[in-house]
């Protein structure tokens, strides 16, 4: 309003208007993009609810079922975290507001304070740590490849790391010919896209990367022949192949690429909220209660998985 009154004044000149605009524009832009000033716990208390991001189609990790219920391994963990937040804040009730996010917007949603916690595991990278922070890992997983069962044996064997020689396949190897002109579908912004892009450049093969918006499109491209493989989290691919009506036509290779520890995404520079989240997860891991939750979505954890939880938990 003050600017409008100044501009209406006869004493005001356009050079002065431009000078004020140049001074104010950076500060206004900063106010729109900077991280929220309030801590996550303060924001939750003020809102009277906790806002949780989720992936709608990443079954069994995070998904919305046919009845509209938000469910999955990561969701079960987040519900327990929300219960501890409620206790921490001394609230009689704390509603959970689930908001669907995709691979591209999950980090900006947390950075801008629109979401308190992303209930879908993500790989921590140095670039992402410039904007957000992470919990202790919640899942050990890796990248896998889904292909058609009738795809050429040489193609499947190369991806599996099988063949006449057990030596690694180097750039320029004749065996790489089976990858030429192949098409691989991948969800944009995911760790799988990064891995696929790096490996294509490293091996110097002329293969195509087709970015798809979701899992259904990815498996659909493999089934209808538009893609030779769909690259994504192997745990998710196994569930996808099992549930899809045409799943019998595809298979998930045994090989795991780029094994990684996945964590929840939360606000950067918010030690109190991160401490609460890590405390909840560590108690679940140390007590063994995580076994029941894990078994509900992935089957009973084996000894290696139980050891992983035990070693990931932070001591009191």
């Amino acid at each position: 309003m003050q600017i409008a009154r100044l501009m209406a004044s006869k004493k005001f000149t356009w050079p002065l208007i431009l000078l004020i605009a140049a001074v104010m524009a950076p500060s206004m832009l900063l106010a729109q993009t900077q991280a929220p000033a309030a801590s996550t716990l303060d924001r939750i208390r003020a809102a009277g609810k906790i806002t949780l991001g989720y992936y709608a189609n990443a079954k069994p990790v995070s998904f919305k079922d046919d009845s509209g219920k938000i469910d999955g391994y990561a969701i079960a963990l987040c519900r327990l975290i929300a219960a501890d937040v409620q206790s921490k804040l001394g609230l009689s009730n704390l509603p959970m507001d689930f908001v669907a996010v995709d691979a591209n917007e999950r980090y900006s949603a947390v950075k801008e304070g629109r979401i308190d916690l992303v209930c879908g595991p993500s790989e921590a990278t140095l670039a992402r740590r410039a904007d957000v922070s992470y919990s202790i890992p919640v899942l050990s997983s890796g990248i896998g490849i889904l292909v058609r069962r009738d795809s050429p044996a040489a193609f499947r064997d190369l991806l599996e790391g099988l063949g006449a020689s057990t030596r690694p396949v180097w750039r320029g190897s004749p065996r790489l010919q089976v990858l030429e002109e192949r098409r691989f579908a991948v969800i944009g912004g995911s760790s799988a896209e990064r891995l696929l892009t790096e490996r294509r450049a490293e091996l110097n093969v002329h293969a195509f990367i087709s970015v798809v918006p979701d899992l259904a499109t990815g498996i659909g491209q493999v089934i209808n022949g538009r893609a030779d493989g769909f690259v994504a989290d192997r745990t998710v691919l196994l569930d996808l192949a099992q549930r899809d009506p045409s799943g019998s036509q595809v298979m998930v290779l045994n090989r795991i690429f780029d094994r990684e520890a996945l964590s929840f995404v939360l606000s950067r520079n918010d030690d109190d909220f991160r401490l609460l989240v890590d405390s909840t997860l560590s108690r679940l891991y140390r007590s063994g209660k995580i076994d029941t939750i894990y078994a509900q979505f992935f089957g009973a954890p084996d000894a290696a998985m139980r050891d992983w939880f035990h070693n990931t938990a932070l001591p009191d």
Side-chain angles (χ1 to χ4, degrees), residues 8 63 117 188 280 296:
F63 62 95
L117 185 68
T280 301
Q296 183 180 350

Side-chain angles (χ1 to χ4, degrees), residues 75-189:
I75 302 301
L77 298 183
C78 278
R79 290 184 188 278
L80 295 173
I81 292 171
D84 281 353
V85 171
Q86 177 183 338
S87 177
K88 173 74 174 179
L89 297 180
L91 302 175
S92 59
N93 184 42
L94 182 63
M96 288 174 281
D97 184 15
F98 287 99
V99 177
V101 294
D102 60 27
N104 292 317
E105 71 169 338
R106 52 187 164 173
Y107 304 110
S108 61
V110 170
K111 182 179 180 180
E112 295 164 8
R114 292 185 282 117
I115 286 176
D116 300 313
L117 185 68
V118 176
C119 300
S122 300
E123 180 190 16
T125 67
L126 293 176
R128 292 168 182 169
R129 281 192 180 279
D131 293 324
V132 297
S133 186
Y134 293 87
S135 70
I136 61 173
V138 298
L139 190 64
S140 175
S141 186
I143 305 300
I145 302 181
L146 179 147
V147 300
R148 287 184 60 90
R149 289 189 179 276
D150 60 1
S151 59
F155 175 65
R156 296 199 311 269
D157 287 350
L158 180 66
L159 295 177
E160 287 275 33
L162 304 176
S165 171
T166 57
R167 292 178 298 178
V169 177
W170 302 104
R171 181 173 182 161
S173 168
R175 294 191 65 200
L176 292 177
Q177 288 295 320
V178 299
L179 294 181
E180 293 292 336
E181 306 297 327
R182 295 288 182 182
R183 293 184 178 275
F184 294 91
V186 65
I187 294 178

